[in-house]
Structures are given as structure tokens and as C-alpha cells.
Amino acid sequence: MTAQRIEAGRQPLLITRCCPLCGRDNADQPTLDIAPDEWRMKTCPDCDMTYLEVAPDISELFETFAWEKQHHIENARRHAGLGPVALKTRNAWRKFRPLPRKNVAALLDHYAEPGAVVDVGCGGGKQLAELGPQFSPVGIEISPAICREAEERLADRDVRIVNADALNGLKQIEEQSLTGVVMRSFLEHDVTPVPVLEQTFRVLKPGGVAILKVPNFASWNAKVRGANGAACASPITSTTSPPRPCPGPWSRPA
């Protein structure tokens, strides 16, 4: 993984990286045409991982590419050229849910033992606010502005919010101290997914569970939506999909 600055002046610090799963250098592989030219997306031929070969350094996600800024830019790109009818149809399609989805609180109630749990990429704290009293919530959020939002939302509850990237945030948590780790629509945004998962294993108690939700780049939904799919929100989606579906939750052996 190498860091580089582009153009003159204060430009975002970018990294050019090998496959985040197997480490293969995929400079010789073709660039997928579903991502903007400046964000090269590759599929590794050795392990089938799809990822951004050029991605923002993690330090840029605190401010420059913070979620509350970038998702407005991404929405504007996706909506460009759409008329009122097309935009309404698109929004209705996004809300279409043919199968029921359990929220995080329901999943933790079902799978996790009472105790301390962490929501990695907790955003404004909505999921933490929904947890029952049997859980002691911890949130990790990289955006300072959204971190403050979470603190305000949860001011009446004993909740710890850590303003850090996932890897360093998890390193602040004691080994084998959590009954649950939640990463809902988060891991695809991290440039170091394997070390983050290693830290997840470290902080879980025996029998603890990890609940992960990531886009499936091989799904029919991704194929239909192409560059407008959840897996292609460049540059904030840096690791779009594992090579195979990973049903969860995962549990640390007791």
C-alpha cells in the first residue's frame, strides 16, 4: 500500500493498494467501468474481491470525505439528469423490500448475551438508542460532526462514543470484553477490513457475536443498479464485496 498526493496544493491523500484480502498487486488487471475514472475499481483474480485500487487514506475520512459531506455529492451524481418521474420511481425502488429485514436491536436481542456491545460506524447513534437496557453501548464514529450528533442523541444514556477510525477505535477496547460487535453498512467503507475483523475477534468474549451487513457485489440488485448501487459509492466505498456471501452473525467459539 503506497500513499500519494495528486496535483499541486492541498489535495486529498490517496493510497494505491493491493487486494485487501489476499494482498495481490492488481496493477495488471483491467479497471471496472462502473466507478468514476479517478477511483479505480478492480476485481482480484486470485480471491475475487472487488475493491478500489485507489482510495482515500483513512485520515481523509475524518473531514475531507466525511460521510455527511460525501453522501450529498454521491446523491447529486446519481440524480443528475433525472426528471421528476424518474427520480420518484428511483426513490420508490430503493424503498422496495420484498423480504423482511430485522433491525440491529432485534438481532442483538436474539443472538447476543447481555453486556457491552459496540456499533462500529455508529453514525448519529440511532441504532445505539434502540438497544435495550441489557446492553451497555459503545459507538465508534470517524466523523467528528456525526460523533457529536450521537453524543447529543444519547446524552441521557450511559454511552461511550469514540471519535476514531474503526481500527484504532477497536484497539481502545479491552480484549474479550464485548458480547456483540455490529458493523451495519460499514465494513465496505474501510480500507483495512482484515485488520478490523482481527480486532473484532480480539474484543469479543467467547460466545460473543459479530453482526455484519455489507453490499453483495455479485447480487442481482448490484448488477441491475450498476454504478448507482450501494457497492459503488466511490470514494467512500473502498472495499465493495467479499468473494462469497458471508451469512451471519459470526460467533467467537466459547
Side-chain angles (χ1 to χ4, degrees):
M1 182 183 297
T2 58
Q4 60 179 2
R5 288 193 184 275
I6 57 173
E7 302 178 7
R10 173 62 179 93
Q11 294 294 325
L13 179 63
L14 307 181
I15 57 173
T16 300
R17 58 189 189 144
C18 298
C19 174
L21 183 60
C22 72
R24 186 187 192 277
D25 184 349
N26 289 302
D28 61 339
Q29 294 301 301
T31 300
L32 303 183
D33 61 5
I34 59 174
D37 292 342
E38 63 268 31
W39 307 110
R40 297 196 303 268
M41 184 178 287
K42 301 286 184 78
T43 295
C44 179
D46 287 357
C47 70
D48 208 28
M49 173 68 81
T50 300
Y51 67 102
L52 287 185
E53 185 179 50
V54 174
D57 183 78
I58 195 70
S59 63
E60 298 290 351
L61 298 184
F62 283 87
E63 292 287 352
T64 307
F65 292 109
W67 171 256
E68 70 274 15
K69 300 176 182 178
Q70 196 64 33
H71 89 278
H72 291 301
I73 297 173
E74 180 64 16
N75 282 341
R77 179 189 71 80
R78 296 184 184 200
H79 295 164
L82 293 180
V85 175
L87 183 58
K88 186 174 181 180
T89 301
R90 180 183 179 276
N91 289 337
W93 172 254
R94 287 187 62 198
K95 296 176 182 178
F96 177 61
R97 297 287 184 264
L99 299 174
R101 295 187 178 187
K102 290 184 177 179
N103 62 27
V104 167
L107 290 169
L108 285 172
D109 283 343
H110 184 76
Y111 291 106
E113 295 292 328
V117 298
V118 65
D119 183 2
V120 183
C122 69
K126 182 178 178 181
Q127 292 180 160
L128 293 174
E130 295 173 347
L131 297 184
Q134 72 272 34
F135 296 114
S136 299
V138 179
I140 298 175
E141 173 55 48
I142 194 169
S143 164
I146 298 182
C147 191
R148 289 191 293 271
E149 181 183 330
E151 291 173 337
E152 291 172 4
R153 172 176 276 148
L154 299 160
D156 60 347
R157 187 166 180 178
D158 185 17
V159 178
R160 176 188 175 199
I161 304 296
V162 180
N163 182 206
D165 61 87
L167 186 60
N168 286 301
L170 286 168
K171 286 180 178 180
Q172 297 180 38
I173 297 175
E174 186 179 350
E175 184 174 355
Q176 296 191 22
S177 62
L178 305 179
T179 62
V181 174
V182 174
M183 297 184 194
R184 182 181 181 275
S185 301
F186 164 76
L187 193 60
E188 67 270 21
H189 299 294
D190 201 286
V191 294
T192 57
V194 172
V196 165
L197 290 175
E198 291 171 344
Q199 283 297 313
T200 298
F201 183 82
R202 183 189 68 82
V203 300
L204 281 173
K205 290 182 177 180
V209 298
I211 299 173
L212 283 71
K213 174 183 178 290
V214 296
N216 181 1
F217 191 69
S219 70
W220 66 267
N221 183 292
K223 295 182 185 302
V224 168
R225 297 183 67 189
N228 288 329
C232 300
S234 304
I236 53 175
T237 300
S238 56
T239 305
T240 70
S241 181
R244 293 170 295 280
C246 301
W250 298 342
S251 177
R252 176 168 185 154

